[in-house]
Amino acid sequence: MSIVFDLNLDYGYAEEFRQQHEAREAHELISDLEDKIGAAISGILALHGVLPSVGDRVEVEDSWVVISARSFGRDGSVWLAATRFDA
């Protein structure tokens, strides 16, 4: 079984990038981080066969993010949002 998911940064987390950088640079940084988080989640899915749930932490390179939202669409789609993990 293949599980396809979409991922975005949590609005507040993405907004931090938008406030600290010019629009184009912020967009690139956000896209790059979303790709890295997506790759980490794909690795979890391949290894464990599950998607992380709300509150789960995911290691991305040398830092951590936490899943802040998870939604399931009627069509079977799954959407995740991630934010910075503050210990």
Side-chain angles (χ1 to χ4, degrees), residues 14 26 38 48 84:
H48 300 287
R84 178 190 328 269

Side-chain angles (χ1 to χ4, degrees), residues 8-84:
N8 294 106
L9 293 187
D10 179 86
Y11 176 80
Y13 190 24
E15 192 61 28
E16 290 176 27
F17 287 94
R18 290 184 193 105
Q19 291 179 3
Q20 295 171 5
H21 303 279
E22 302 242 352
R24 185 173 186 80
E25 183 182 6
H27 177 74
E28 290 174 7
L29 290 169
I30 291 167
S31 293
D32 185 50
L33 184 54
E34 288 174 340
D35 288 346
K36 290 176 183 176
I37 296 168
I41 291 172
S42 291
I44 291 167
L45 187 56
L47 186 62
H48 300 287
V50 297
L51 287 172
S53 186
V54 173
D56 286 344
R57 293 174 291 194
V58 177
E59 187 172 16
V60 180
E61 294 184 345
D62 295 330
S63 62
W64 292 85
V65 296
V66 65
I67 302 302
S68 58
R70 184 170 75 166
S71 300
F72 297 92
R74 198 175 331 172
D75 62 354
S77 62
V78 180
W79 173 79
L80 301 167
T83 191
R84 178 190 328 269

